[in-house]
Amino acid sequence: MRYSGLRIIKEALTGNKGWKPAWRDPEPQPAYDFVIIGGGGHGLATAYYLASTFGKKRIAVLEKGWIGGGNVGRNTTIIRSNYLLEGNGPFYEYALKLWEGLEQELNYNAMVSQRGILNLIHTDAQRTAFTRRGNAMILNGADAEMLGVEQIRARYPFLNFNDARFPIKGGLAQHRGGTVRHDAVAWGYARGADNLGVDIIQNCEVTGFRIENGVCKGVETSRGFIGAGKVASCVAGSSSRLMAKAGMRLPIESTVLQAFVTEGLKPVLPGVITFGAGHFYCSQSDKGGLVFGGDPDGYNTYAQRGNLPVVEGVMESGMALIPALGRARVLRMWGGLMDMSMDGSPIIDRTEIEGLYFNGGWCYGGFKATPASGMCYAHLLARDIPHEYATAYRFDRFRRGYMIDEKGVGAQPNLH
Amino acid sequence: MIINHPLLGPRDAQEFTYLGDASLIDRPDWEAADAQEQFYEYAYLRDNPAGEHRELWFHEIGDRSWLVVTRNTLTHEITSVEMARDVARSKGRSK
Ligand SMILES: Cc1cc2nc3c(=O)[nH]c(=O)nc-3n(C[C@H](O)[C@H](O)[C@H](O)COP(=O)(O)OP(=O)(O)OC[C@H]3O[C@@H](n4cnc5c(N)ncnc54)[C@H](O)[C@@H]3O)c2cc1C
């Protein structure tokens, strides 16, 4: 069923009786050509592009819970391509370009909103670093603009400009950055994939791999064995847990990142802003809630909930930047499991086991990557060679010493 | 989380910084024939288990000692806290 304005009017006049479920609920078949593990944004996008761009058939997505119940439905929805390093810049800019055409392609309102992202500057050293980053962005085909204090004041008059310790000295803006309705990304890709014949199988946990003579033949699941030509892991924060079942150790640690949303307010925050003197980022959802977050908790965990010191730290950073925030009440807070890699950058690669592929290590920035991650992973699965924008995202970069370490903190996942 | 420091008693986890898997104590022998491979695994690969995890915490704003904390990554329950020095010595290290 195609969605359109006309359709909404027609359904409104006929009691909304014509709407159909956006995707089927099929029983798993005994075997598929491609089995994708994980019904998050990346898994669903991979299935969609495998079927649409690469014309593949017999594809299944296996999700242990419900689609969208993982990080794709838990993140703070920020998209941007303001990266510095070579392996990352072109990839994230490609993702941003795919976001720009996504809703038309999927015939689905994912509420892609290019309201702009602004990284604030508080010191001279930061200005130098951000100027360099802005130049790198422009070289990679992205947009970047350095803003002065008066330009920022015109748009965000309520910021704490003259804080004694962290005065605002300017900012690096990417006007094409913004936010996307996160659940709608999962649902839009699911509907698009399902339309092309992909089986989306929920409540189906992968519990092991069937590997014979170094070749992966399929997966054991809570709903029985499912055979596969190619098996594609795409489980974000559960990556190490899943791949351990194939005997692999990954350059990844799992940590939790928390996020917060306030009660609905009238429009106050037009774009996405990030604090440069502490880790704090904030935007206002279309429902009016201020959505914000900060640092991950920083220790290994699979608990999907964080601890109070980080909550306090995030609130303090928020108050330092936006004193008015103290007047809003926090409605909800939650956490998501993140696959923190050793250099802060992702992996999209084959494994040493034939027929078994891996996508992960997205840290807390993988939402913005969703369309490009899906496209590049689908390319690898369909053609067995990396997509041109993902050639740097190989496992062997750690062994070879080619880390893509945006923050320059080394093999310390909790600091990326 | 509260970490029960062997010398100082229960301390708020906020006083500590986290390094990672306690296997980082087992630094490979740089003279081994396969030292390069061993250091790659040591520096970059992790078990990252769901369940019991032995890990290194540094009492940064306390007595600046290193601890080996055994903690469940599914529940955050801490079941044992040792001085990292004692753990290292028990493995034959000089300090
Ligand atoms: C609080 C928070 C804020 C964030 N903010 C941003 C942001 O502003 N911008 C940004 O770009 N990124 C952000 N991120 C990161 C981003 O959300 C993730 O990097 C990204 O969503 C990960 O990819 P995914 O959508 O495929 O993951 P998920 O949605 O987590 O998908 C993985 C799926 O695999 C399933 N699974 C796990 N194990 C199995 C198994 N054995 N069998 C079957 N299925 C399994 C899980 O149930 C899950 O549904 C944030 C993350 C968090 C937690």
Side-chain angles (χ1 to χ4, degrees), chain A residues 237 240-241 244 249-254 256 298-303 305-307 309 312 342 395 398-399 401 403 411-414, chain B residues 1 12-14 18-21 23-24 36-37 40-41 43-51 53 55 57 71-76:
Chain A
S240 298
R241 242 179 137 173
R249 290 174 81 217
L250 303 180
I252 286 175
E253 287 179 5
S254 297
V256 62
Y299 43 80
N300 289 45
T301 177
Y302 287 91
R305 62 182 162 75
N307 269 297
E312 190 180 22
M342 285 288 161
F395 274 115
F398 299 97
R399 183 180 258 117
M403 264 61 74
Q412 192 59 44
N414 58 344
Chain B
M1 291 190 297
D12 193 321
Q14 243 184 311
Y18 177 79
L19 184 70
D21 197 310
S23 66
L24 289 167
Q36 194 172 340
E37 181 65 19
Y40 155 68
E41 292 188 7
Y44 297 116
L45 301 187
R46 298 288 181 270
D47 289 337
N48 192 20
H53 190 227
E55 53 201 26
W57 292 75
R71 191 179 53 96
N72 189 313
T73 58
L74 289 163
T75 62
H76 296 165

Side-chain angles (χ1 to χ4, degrees), chain A residues 37-43 62-65 70-72 74-78 204-206 234-236 238 242 257-259 334 336 338 362-368:
Chain A
I37 310 170
H42 293 209
L62 311 183
E63 165 55 49
K64 75 171 174 194
N71 288 349
V72 69
R74 291 169 186 264
N75 64 74
T76 44
T77 80
I78 301 165
C204 181
E205 178 170 3
V206 172
C234 204
V235 296
S238 304
L242 182 65
L257 180 67
Q258 307 189 60
W334 62 92
M338 284 159 323
W362 293 98
C363 302
Y364 49 88
F367 177 66
K368 71 177 91 69

Side-chain angles (χ1 to χ4, degrees), chain A residues 136-385:
Chain A
M137 288 163 64
I138 291 167
L139 286 174
N140 283 325
D143 64 303
E145 190 189 351
M146 292 295 282
L147 300 185
V149 175
E150 288 319 311
Q151 285 167 293
I152 295 171
R153 203 189 290 274
R155 204 160 182 231
Y156 300 103
F158 49 83
L159 297 181
N160 192 4
F161 283 89
N162 299 319
D163 184 274
R165 283 178 74 193
F166 311 121
I168 294 171
K169 302 255 187 180
L172 172 64
Q174 183 177 28
H175 300 299
R176 286 164 58 246
T179 59
V180 183
R181 167 77 201 180
H182 49 7
D183 306 301
V185 174
W187 300 332
Y189 274 122
R191 172 172 168 267
D194 178 89
N195 269 336
L196 296 168
V198 172
D199 281 358
I200 296 166
I201 301 163
Q202 305 183 73
N203 301 311
C204 181
E205 178 170 3
V206 172
T207 54
F209 299 92
R210 188 173 292 179
I211 297 165
E212 289 167 8
N213 302 322
V215 182
C216 186
K217 302 279 188 187
V219 290
E220 307 292 346
T221 80
S222 52
R223 295 173 71 170
F225 174 76
I226 300 176
K230 290 180 177 174
V231 174
S233 169
C234 204
V235 296
S238 304
S239 291
S240 298
R241 242 179 137 173
L242 182 65
M243 298 311 277
K245 298 183 200 302
M248 284 182 70
R249 290 174 81 217
L250 303 180
I252 286 175
E253 287 179 5
S254 297
T255 62
V256 62
L257 180 67
Q258 307 189 60
F260 309 84
V261 65
T262 70
E263 60 195 328
L265 304 168
K266 287 185 178 171
V268 33
L269 193 62
V272 183
I273 50 172
T274 74
F275 190 26
H279 202 179
F280 177 82
Y281 39 89
C282 190
S283 66
Q284 187 168 20
S285 81
D286 292 333
K287 278 193 281 186
L290 295 173
V291 181
F292 57 93
D295 274 327
D297 270 43
Y299 43 80
N300 289 45
T301 177
Y302 287 91
Q304 220 160 221
R305 62 182 162 75
N307 269 297
L308 289 171
V310 168
V311 177
E312 190 180 22
V314 171
M315 300 299 162
E316 280 171 355
S317 299
M319 288 296 292
L321 180 64
I322 314 174
L325 194 64
R327 303 286 293 276
R329 275 165 295 210
V330 172
L331 275 193
R332 282 183 295 123
M333 51 191 263
W334 62 92
L337 290 187
M338 284 159 323
D339 36 344
M340 303 296 293
S341 69
M342 285 288 161
D343 61 356
S345 295
I347 296 158
I348 303 176
D349 202 357
R350 288 190 287 210
T351 69
E352 280 164 16
I353 298 157
E354 205 184 312
L356 181 58
Y357 297 74
F358 181 77
N359 175 320
W362 293 98
C363 302
Y364 49 88
F367 177 66
K368 71 177 91 69
T370 305
S373 168
M375 182 69 93
C376 293
Y377 203 21
H379 185 284
L380 179 70
L381 289 166
R383 306 212 171 134
D384 266 311
I385 45 167

